[in-house]
Amino acid sequence: MTEGISMADQSPLLTHTDKATGVRTLTLNRPHRKNAVDGELWQLLHDALSGAGQDPELRALVITGAGGDFCAGADISGGGREGHPLTRMRFINEVALMLHELAIPTVAKVDGVAVGAGWNLALGCDLVVSTPTARFSQIFARRALSLDFGGSWLLPKLVGMQQAKRLALLAEIIGAEEAKSLGLVTYVVAVEEIDAFVTDLANRLAAGPPVALAQSKALLNENADRTLRDALASEARAQSINFATADTPVAFQAFVDKTDPTFTGEWNVQ
C-alpha cells in the first residue's frame, strides 16, 4: 500500500512525488495508532495541502495510510491538545477546506479502518478507492462527540438525510461494498491490485487538461447548493476560461487526427 516509500522514515506524514506524471502521494504514517491524526500530523497535513495547492507541477494528489489502515480519525489519546478546543477545531477546519478547495483531482486509497475524521478525510477527496476488507464508521457518537471534518455537510449530499442520520446517530461500522452501494466509495479493488489501480487512476487524472478539470471540480463543488440559473452562469464563465487555454485547440486537433492529446494548461489568448 506504500510502494516506493521506506517505512523506516519516522515522519508522521510521508510525501512522494512522481515528477514524470505530476502525481503526489501523501501517506499518513502513524501505524501504531492506526494513523490517527494528532496535532503534529494536522499541521503537516495543513502544510502539505498548502504546498500542493501552490505547486504548478502537480496534476493529482493521492492520500493513503501506512501499515494497513487509512486513518482512525483524530487522536484523542490526550497528547498535543493544548489551547481552547474551538481554536483547535478552527485549525482542523482549515485543513478540511484546503482539501475540498484543492484545484487538482484527489484520490483516497483506503485499506483497514477509515473512521471519524479519517473517513471524512477520505470523503473529502474527489474519488475513493477501497479494498474489500476496509471498514468505515462515523464513530463520533461512540466517543460522545458530533460530526466534524465536514461530515455534516458531506454525508447528506452523498447519501441523503436519512442515511446520513443513520450513519451519524448509530455510528455503525460498515464494509466496503455497503459503502460503495451508498455512494461513499467509488471503486472496490482487491488489496493486491489496489496500488496499481490507484496509480493508473491518478495518472489518468494527471494526464487530463488541468484547467478544465479544475473548473469542472469547482463547478460541481460550488453549484450543489445553487439554482440552475447560478450554475449555468458559472459554467459559462468556466468555459470561457477553458477556451483561453492551449488545451482546447490541442484536444480538437487530437480528435481530428485520432491521436492522444498532451495537455499543459497554458494560457493561450491571442
Side-chain angles (χ1 to χ4, degrees):
M1 297 291 297
T2 50
E3 184 178 354
I5 300 174
S6 171
M7 288 298 103
D9 190 333
Q10 296 304 302
S11 170
L13 183 67
L14 305 180
T15 303
H16 176 264
T17 304
D18 185 335
K19 294 184 178 180
T21 61
V23 175
R24 179 169 295 170
T25 300
L26 302 180
T27 303
L28 310 181
N29 187 36
R30 300 185 75 227
H32 61 292
R33 297 290 300 168
K34 296 186 182 295
N35 302 315
V37 187
D38 63 358
E40 180 185 9
L41 185 47
W42 282 125
Q43 182 67 59
L44 290 171
L45 272 171
H46 178 281
D47 295 346
L49 292 171
S50 176
Q54 297 173 35
D55 189 339
E57 302 300 319
L58 281 193
R59 304 286 286 268
L61 182 75
V62 176
I63 300 179
T64 190
D69 286 297
F70 183 73
C71 179
D75 192 335
I76 58 173
S77 60
R81 303 180 66 193
E82 299 81 7
H84 196 285
L86 186 56
T87 301
R88 294 197 303 271
M89 287 308 305
R90 284 172 176 160
F91 183 76
I92 291 170
N93 289 349
E94 284 185 27
V95 180
L97 280 171
M98 292 171 75
L99 176 61
H100 178 72
E101 294 176 352
L102 200 62
I104 59 176
T106 55
V107 180
K109 181 168 66 174
V110 180
D111 192 20
V113 299
V115 301
W119 190 7
N120 293 335
L121 174 64
L123 293 177
C125 294
D126 300 315
L127 302 173
V128 180
V129 184
S130 164
T131 65
T133 54
R135 304 178 306 284
F136 303 88
S137 177
Q138 295 290 327
I139 204 167
F140 300 97
R142 299 191 188 196
R143 308 289 184 258
L145 296 170
S146 53
L147 301 175
D148 64 19
F149 208 76
S152 64
W153 186 85
L154 289 162
L155 284 173
K157 292 181 179 302
L158 292 168
V159 301
M161 189 60 74
Q162 285 192 344
Q163 288 295 339
K165 288 179 178 178
R166 167 209 159 192
L167 293 168
L169 302 182
L170 296 176
E172 296 172 332
I173 297 173
I174 66 172
E177 289 296 343
E178 182 176 1
K180 184 174 183 293
S181 72
L182 289 170
L184 298 167
V185 165
T186 320
Y187 306 98
V188 177
V189 180
V191 64
E192 64 272 14
E193 299 173 3
I194 193 169
D195 285 337
F197 183 93
V198 170
T199 296
D200 176 70
L201 178 63
N203 288 346
R204 286 161 54 200
L205 291 167
V211 174
L213 294 189
Q215 297 291 319
S216 288
K217 176 175 174 176
L219 288 168
L220 291 168
N221 286 339
E222 294 167 4
N223 289 332
D225 297 319
R226 297 182 180 176
T227 66
L228 175 59
R229 185 178 298 276
D230 291 334
L232 290 169
S234 296
E235 290 174 1
R237 182 187 67 247
Q239 211 69 292
S240 298
I241 293 171
N242 294 328
F243 282 124
T245 71
D247 290 343
T248 302
V250 165
F252 289 172
Q253 192 60 49
F255 174 75
V256 172
D257 297 340
K258 294 182 171 48
T259 59
D260 293 326
T262 299
F263 296 120
T264 64
E266 293 178 358
W267 195 245
N268 188 37
V269 177
Q270 301 298 327

